Amino acid sequence: MVQRSADAKSRRAMLHKNSEITEVESHILLDALNSANSYMVGQSLFKLTQLHLDLVGESFWIKERN
């Protein structure tokens, strides 16, 4: 329901009304994103993703198994 809300203001209001937000500091997904591959780690991955979103309008991540 929150994801499909029309704008950021109404999403924020729904989150604060329904529950408290708690920051997750340790999780396997956070570990994977912080050490994405041998070429990019953490902030480099997010910076390059944001650049692609800003310049091209789309960006993709591929999860390689094993």
Side-chain angles (χ1 to χ4, degrees), residues 2-16:
V2 174
Q3 292 176 348
R4 295 189 178 145
S5 183
D7 59 5
K9 185 177 180 181
S10 60
R11 283 193 302 269
R12 200 174 309 115
M14 291 174 74
L15 283 172
H16 289 294

Side-chain angles (χ1 to χ4, degrees), residues 28-38 40-43 45-46:
I28 193 168
L29 179 61
L30 294 174
D31 295 339
L33 291 174
N34 284 328
S35 59
N37 57 43
S38 59
M40 287 185 284
V41 292
Q43 291 299 321
L45 173 68
F46 295 118

Side-chain angles (χ1 to χ4, degrees), residues 5-62:
S5 183
D7 59 5
K9 185 177 180 181
S10 60
R11 283 193 302 269
R12 200 174 309 115
M14 291 174 74
L15 283 172
H16 289 294
K17 181 176 69 173
N18 293 335
S19 64
E20 290 188 24
I21 299 172
T22 57
E23 182 177 359
V24 177
E25 295 180 7
S26 176
H27 191 275
I28 193 168
L29 179 61
L30 294 174
D31 295 339
L33 291 174
N34 284 328
S35 59
N37 57 43
S38 59
Y39 300 106
M40 287 185 284
V41 292
Q43 291 299 321
S44 299
L45 173 68
F46 295 118
K47 183 176 182 177
L48 185 61
T49 300
Q50 189 60 52
L51 285 171
H52 278 270
L53 287 171
D54 292 342
L55 296 173
V56 182
E58 60 186 9
S59 183
F60 301 97
W61 289 352
I62 297 174

